[in-house]
Amino acid sequence: QDFRLGARYEALSRGPLALTPSLALVLPSHAYNYQGEAVVGRRLKELQLGLFAARTLDELTPALEIQAGYTYAVVEKAEVDLPNNRSNASVGLSWAATPRLQLHTSALWQRTHGGLRFGGGPENVALPFPGEVNTPERFAEHDRLLRDDSFHVEGGLSYALGRVDLFGSWLQYVSGTDTHAGHALTLGATWYFGKAGGAGLD
């Protein structure tokens, strides 16, 4: 639904530690519908600024690595003039169980800086439903302007087969407000052009 153009640069690689800033631009591919529970996206432009760090835990085993990252998204304002920027943070571990098999687990947080709150429920008892979605204009935009705050955990694996990596992951909702609960299973493959890849996740 959206085009994403991004770049990353390894700014520091010293011993077991690496730091990588990133920059990405997200552009909607066309004027798709963004109203409803099952729409493909929010149809908003974004500028994403991030910093990622990784460190091998040689003290334990060279096959173990800890990773962390933070991204701040500057999001286009919708028809309702309301701030809707977003922070995403993650921390995780990856382990090369064999030269071909890599396992990983991570925790992921999202916090929306602004947005609309529906209210009601045990975490918003002071804000009766429908909360801040209290005008026809806000209701029309609420699907892409809710204050989506969430915490998820994820686990997965990747297996290298020469020029192809097969990977899968399970994402589980833990907590949040004005967000979707549930889980997601992702399966896929990465094809390398040129030299063969490794067991890294894409």
Side-chain angles (χ1 to χ4, degrees):
Q1 75 277 18
D2 298 328
F3 295 114
R4 185 180 187 276
L5 178 64
R8 294 176 290 180
Y9 178 73
E10 190 177 64
L12 174 66
S13 181
R14 185 174 300 169
L17 177 66
L19 293 176
T20 304
S22 69
L23 175 68
L25 181 64
V26 177
L27 298 172
S29 61
H30 63 287
Y32 57 77
N33 181 25
Y34 58 82
Q35 295 176 323
E37 288 294 315
V39 293
V40 296
R42 299 194 306 163
R43 210 177 85 191
L44 294 172
K45 301 173 185 175
E46 293 187 12
L47 175 65
Q48 299 175 354
L49 307 170
L51 180 64
F52 299 86
R55 187 184 189 280
T56 56
L57 300 177
D58 295 331
E59 303 85 350
L60 301 176
T61 169
L64 189 64
E65 181 179 270
I66 185 170
Q67 305 155 350
Y70 172 79
T71 301
Y72 186 84
V74 181
V75 183
E76 173 190 13
K77 290 186 179 179
E79 297 298 324
V80 176
D81 189 12
L82 197 72
N84 193 32
N85 295 343
R86 184 180 69 252
S87 287
N88 289 88
S90 64
V91 61
L93 287 171
S94 64
W95 177 50
T98 73
R100 290 181 177 271
L101 177 64
Q102 184 172 20
L103 308 177
H104 82 277
T105 183
S106 56
L108 308 112
W109 292 267
Q110 175 172 293
R111 182 166 181 83
T112 303
H113 309 292
L116 295 170
R117 296 174 296 169
F118 247 135
E123 298 187 27
N124 283 318
V125 291
L127 188 68
F129 184 86
E132 297 167 341
V133 188
N134 51 17
T135 67
E137 294 77 17
R138 289 187 169 192
F139 181 79
E141 294 289 304
H142 81 274
D143 288 304
R144 60 177 178 175
L145 285 182
L146 284 181
R147 187 180 296 181
D148 186 343
D149 296 338
S150 61
F151 172 54
H152 293 80
V153 293
E154 181 188 24
L157 57 84
S158 175
Y159 190 80
L161 294 171
R163 297 185 185 276
V164 178
D165 283 358
L166 303 178
F167 62 87
S169 66
W170 180 270
L171 181 71
Q172 180 65 50
Y173 167 85
V174 177
S175 64
T177 57
D178 291 311
T179 189
H180 289 283
H183 51 261
L185 173 65
T186 302
L187 301 173
T190 301
W191 183 280
Y192 293 91
F193 297 94
K195 67 179 182 178
L201 291 173
D202 188 12

